[in-house]
Amino acid sequence: MTRWQKNAAYASALYALVVLMLRFTTGEGWDTSLLIALVVTPLAFWMGRLRRRTSEQAREWGRRRVRPWPEERRR
């Protein structure tokens, strides 16, 4: 499976899950659930990408840190 196909499968599964969750837990109609899921799905992917980038930057910053962490210092 290519990366594009994998992302499309994840997006479809997430979209269907959100639609069903909204439809049966909140009591919204099908049309409202479908529209809300259209907003929630890309937002969830964006938040995952943002979290991944933030983690990568934190790891990179940690490697470049010159001074040791306070708990690593020896007295």
Side-chain angles (χ1 to χ4, degrees), residues 52-71:
R52 189 170 44 251
R53 279 185 50 216
T54 305
S55 297
E56 289 170 0
Q57 288 174 353
R59 277 194 304 263
E60 186 176 322
W61 181 78
R63 281 193 303 247
R64 292 184 183 170
R65 187 170 170 86
V66 178
R67 295 175 48 210
W69 292 101
E71 58 269 10

Side-chain angles (χ1 to χ4, degrees), residues 3-16:
R3 186 175 188 175
W4 184 86
Q5 290 172 331
K6 200 178 291 187
N7 284 342
Y10 285 140
S12 300
L14 180 64
Y15 180 75

Side-chain angles (χ1 to χ4, degrees), residues 27-73:
E28 297 287 341
W30 283 106
D31 53 349
T32 308
S33 298
L34 292 169
L35 289 174
I36 293 173
L38 276 177
V39 174
V40 170
T41 303
L43 183 64
F45 275 102
W46 176 76
M47 289 174 66
R49 181 173 174 256
L50 185 64
R51 180 177 182 214
R52 189 170 44 251
R53 279 185 50 216
T54 305
S55 297
E56 289 170 0
Q57 288 174 353
R59 277 194 304 263
E60 186 176 322
W61 181 78
R63 281 193 303 247
R64 292 184 183 170
R65 187 170 170 86
V66 178
R67 295 175 48 210
W69 292 101
E71 58 269 10
E72 293 175 357
R73 291 185 190 156

Side-chain angles (χ1 to χ4, degrees), residues 19 21-33 36:
V19 167
M21 185 181 69
L22 286 171
R23 172 64 180 105
F24 293 112
T25 59
T26 62
E28 297 287 341
W30 283 106
D31 53 349
T32 308
S33 298
I36 293 173

